[in-house]
Amino acid sequence: MMYDVIIKNARIPQNDDTVLTNILVKDEKIAGFLDNIDGIEAKEIIDAEGNLTLPGCIDSHTHFMYQGFPHRENFLTGTAAAARGGVTTIIDMPCCSVPSARSVEQLELKLDLVKPQALVDFAMWGGVTGEDVREGWLDHVQEQADYGVVAFKAYMTPSVPTFPRVTDPEMYEAFKAVAKTGLPIGIHAENYSMCDYYVNKFREEGRMDGPAWAEARMELAEKVAIELGISFAEDSGARLHIVHMSTGIGAKLVGDAKKRGLNVTSESCPHYLTLNYQDAMTKHGACAKIAPPLRTKKDNEEQWEGINNGSIDFIATDHAPYEIESEKAKEGMNIWTAFPGIPGVETMVPIIVSEGYNKGRISLSKLVDILSKNAAIHYGIYPKKGAMNIGSDADFTIIDLEKKWTIDPKTQASMCGYTPLEGMELTGKVAQTIVRGHLVFKDVEESKLRDLTDNELEEIVHNYPKRVEEKYSRIFENYPHAHSAEYEKSYRKEHPEVIDKHIRNIDGIMIKPGFGQFVKRQSIQILPRQIKF
């Protein structure tokens, strides 16, 4: 048999050990493993050079924002960042687009707009808001589930105008609607009233220092929000997922809920494991402003404990970059008026490898669980994704465990040009990223993106695909051009050449835009509650 690809000299995980093997790929799927490939024919051979080869890593929480906020990030730069960071599948949120994706029609519009840009595979969250409850639109929940979304997102605090937050009773109604689908409901767990009150109080008192943001949106605001979510989940039968959980007490609450037999899960992010608010927000100010905010060194350590005891199920990023010129450091802006969000998809895997696995905080099997396997199971795309089984998609993250490097926002694919992780020295770097057997990223200076012509960039990035506005005319009547007010005031709207230059400067991309495929949920799967007492 002629195989499409052989990935030779791949050091793959086997529990907490590794074995050197050669991986056979046919029709974009894993077709087998061989110790010796003498006499085996393939159209292409990719040499993993003995590096650690993980099942393709998954970032299950991104905001790429192309539709409505293209000055912040588009699907091309976002998925380029994913590829450079060893992420083979992203799961994008429904909220940061115009309109937000809360119905099948809105979801299909989003898909039609982002498909031509994608470099890695992508699944989608569904959305449910307070407006859906008030307007009697909860039938859209089942419709989105039937279409193939992997979960539903709800905000307890405001997000963007097209994705209204839920009040407490509205959240309970949303829980009941989502429970009927069998899918998880992810909540941004911060108590709105507490956050709003103390942000205004600190502002009125004249606090303008960076750490004030974190102190106003205090640990207690997340704690009581998680407790309420757990209570609603217990009563409604919904599968509660705490997204971007920032605190150690949050991990303890989730662990206790698991011990009681509830289907409650959580994710953390690399910044909540490595940064503390006093240092990062003093140094970086608004460029370290996120919600929930950074916490303390004690929270960092308690979250690593949560990963090891099973109360934190996997890692994601909440990748949500903003434009420095108009949204982070505009003249007259301060810590209260700057927008909250940072990039993360390009640095997630290297940070967890360097600060977790290489420093002995987590085992190899735990590394696979939190970067690949658990998110795939939780969101119903396993074993197509997140697995190294025969028949699984041939997705691989190849890591040079010994490569030392320093995070530099100027070399990253994200358009934003900042990160509070700047200057962090890591050991362990993504060497190659393979999606469905195709080499998408290699750690070299060359890039297919350099070859994109002005016309191609105009067609792929700056213009919508042909006939999209006609196909979705009803939506475009209500949302002209699908543009946000923030985009209309942005720097990059007036300087699209900056976007083109940035894209052409992204290193290592070995495939052209449009390669990435939409991944529908395969089935409803539930992570086992593996919690250490």
Side-chain angles (χ1 to χ4, degrees):
M1 177 189 290
M2 172 70 75
Y3 291 95
D4 296 323
V5 181
I6 296 175
I7 299 156
K8 70 176 186 178
N9 300 321
R11 187 164 294 282
I12 65 172
Q14 284 198 338
N15 296 316
D16 287 329
D17 205 349
T18 62
V19 62
L20 193 65
T21 190
N22 305 285
I23 307 170
L24 310 177
V25 178
K26 182 75 174 175
D27 298 327
E28 301 189 329
K29 308 285 186 186
I30 298 173
F33 303 85
L34 287 177
D35 292 339
N36 191 321
I37 53 173
D38 291 345
I40 304 297
E41 296 182 320
K43 299 172 187 175
E44 181 183 4
I45 294 179
I46 298 172
D47 191 351
E49 300 180 346
N51 286 319
L52 180 64
T53 302
L54 302 178
C57 296
I58 297 168
D59 184 352
S60 57
H61 190 140
T62 65
H63 300 270
F64 283 170
M65 306 202 227
Y66 167 63
Q67 171 195 338
F69 306 90
H71 61 296
R72 296 174 179 170
E73 194 82 282
N74 55 57
F75 234 74
L76 174 51
T77 57
T79 54
R84 285 175 51 84
V87 172
T88 58
T89 303
I90 64 98
I91 308 181
D92 206 50
M93 283 289 173
C95 39
C96 291
S97 61
V98 177
S100 55
R102 294 187 273 142
S103 70
V104 167
E105 184 184 32
Q106 291 168 338
L107 183 62
E108 287 182 331
L109 168 60
K110 179 174 179 176
L111 289 171
D112 282 352
L113 294 179
V114 304
K115 280 176 183 175
Q117 300 183 359
L119 293 165
V120 302
D121 288 353
F122 54 96
M124 291 289 173
W125 281 74
V128 58
T129 72
E131 183 181 33
D132 295 313
V133 177
R134 294 190 297 274
E135 298 295 331
W137 297 341
L138 286 178
D139 56 314
H140 291 170
V141 169
Q142 187 64 55
E143 154 188 316
Q144 292 174 79
D146 292 343
Y147 190 82
V149 301
V150 301
F152 289 87
K153 177 69 177 296
Y155 277 85
M156 297 176 74
T157 57
S159 171
V160 294
T162 55
F163 204 91
R165 74 176 189 92
V166 288
T167 61
D168 292 351
E170 288 167 352
M171 186 168 81
Y172 180 59
E173 290 298 313
F175 271 47
K176 290 192 291 183
V178 174
K180 295 175 184 176
T181 71
L183 300 183
I185 180 165
I187 62 168
H188 179 130
E190 288 185 284
N191 179 280
Y192 168 67
S193 296
M194 290 189 67
C195 290
D196 185 58
Y197 176 84
Y198 285 103
V199 163
N200 288 326
K201 182 176 186 291
F202 278 40
R203 278 177 89 167
E204 290 168 5
E205 291 173 351
R207 288 282 301 273
M208 290 295 170
D209 54 298
W213 169 256
E215 291 170 17
R217 296 179 79 115
M218 60 191 67
E219 174 195 83
L220 186 60
E222 183 175 89
K223 178 177 183 284
V224 296
I226 292 173
E227 288 174 327
L228 181 64
I230 290 171
S231 295
F232 283 4
E234 186 169 21
D235 187 85
S236 66
R239 293 171 56 192
L240 170 63
H241 181 69
I242 308 300
V243 299
H244 49 52
M245 189 171 65
S246 66
T247 59
I249 187 62
K252 291 182 175 70
L253 291 169
V254 171
D256 288 343
K258 288 174 182 282
K259 290 171 188 175
R260 291 197 289 119
L262 300 179
N263 283 324
V264 179
T265 52
S266 71
E267 72 194 36
S268 185
C269 306
H271 42 274
Y272 296 131
L273 295 163
T274 58
L275 300 178
N276 69 84
Y277 83 94
Q278 273 288 1
D279 293 344
M281 297 204 72
T282 297
K283 181 178 180 180
H284 298 286
C287 288
K289 180 182 177 180
I290 51 175
L294 299 172
R295 303 296 183 183
T296 67
K297 292 180 181 179
K298 181 172 179 281
D299 288 297
N300 297 154
E301 293 308 313
E302 288 178 348
Q303 288 224 334
W304 283 112
E305 291 173 17
I307 288 171
N308 279 310
N309 69 31
S311 57
I312 294 175
D313 296 274
F314 46 83
I315 302 299
T317 66
D318 190 24
H319 178 96
Y322 287 85
E323 185 180 78
I324 289 179
E325 294 87 348
S326 67
E327 296 172 326
K328 282 288 189 182
K330 186 178 179 181
E331 186 177 354
M333 256 180 190
N334 57 49
I335 196 61
W336 305 112
T337 56
F339 289 62
I342 62 173
V345 68
E346 191 165 333
T347 50
M348 176 184 79
V349 173
I351 288 174
I352 301 304
V353 167
S354 175
E355 304 308 291
Y357 177 63
N358 275 344
K359 289 190 174 178
R361 286 189 172 109
I362 57 173
S363 65
L364 179 58
S365 58
K366 181 63 73 171
L367 181 75
V368 173
D369 285 348
I370 64 175
L371 289 181
S372 303
K373 182 179 179 181
N374 285 0
I377 294 172
H378 183 67
Y379 294 114
I381 57 175
Y382 184 89
K384 177 180 176 66
K385 302 294 185 183
M388 209 176 275
N389 300 344
I390 293 176
S392 297
D393 282 1
D395 297 346
F396 307 103
T397 303
I398 301 174
I399 300 165
D400 182 343
L401 289 174
E402 298 179 357
K403 182 103 178 243
K404 295 183 183 297
W405 63 290
T406 302
I407 294 176
D408 180 358
K410 296 182 180 63
T411 64
Q412 292 191 342
S414 175
M415 288 201 301
C416 69
Y418 71 90
T419 171
L421 301 161
E422 181 176 1
M424 183 180 288
E425 297 178 353
L426 302 178
T427 302
K429 195 168 193 281
V430 175
Q432 298 179 82
T433 302
I434 297 169
V435 180
R436 289 178 276 112
H438 301 268
L439 183 63
V440 173
F441 167 75
K442 189 172 184 178
D443 191 15
V444 295
E445 291 185 1
E446 64 185 271
S447 175
K448 292 279 187 185
L449 300 183
R450 304 224 203 293
D451 302 329
L452 293 174
T453 66
D454 290 347
N455 286 339
E456 284 176 314
L457 284 169
E458 192 72 24
E459 182 178 329
I460 295 167
V461 175
H462 300 294
N463 294 333
Y464 294 144
K466 292 179 181 176
R467 291 183 289 279
V468 158
E469 294 193 46
E470 179 183 341
K471 180 179 178 182
Y472 298 98
S473 57
R474 188 185 66 82
I475 291 178
F476 280 96
E477 283 176 11
N478 294 324
Y479 302 95
H481 311 297
H483 286 172
S484 65
E486 291 80 6
Y487 172 67
E488 296 292 353
K489 297 181 287 187
S490 70
Y491 175 80
R492 289 190 180 97
K493 180 180 185 292
E494 302 303 322
H495 299 278
E497 73 281 357
V498 174
I499 297 175
D500 296 350
K501 181 180 178 181
H502 176 82
I503 289 170
R504 290 190 176 116
N505 283 337
I506 298 172
D507 289 341
I509 302 301
M510 311 306 289
I511 207 154
K512 285 203 167 184
F515 167 77
Q517 292 183 354
F518 173 49
V519 180
K520 288 192 174 186
R521 190 188 72 257
Q522 307 295 294
S523 60
I524 294 175
Q525 302 171 39
I526 299 177
L527 271 171
R529 290 185 295 275
Q530 297 177 336
I531 183 78
K532 293 180 182 178
F533 289 82

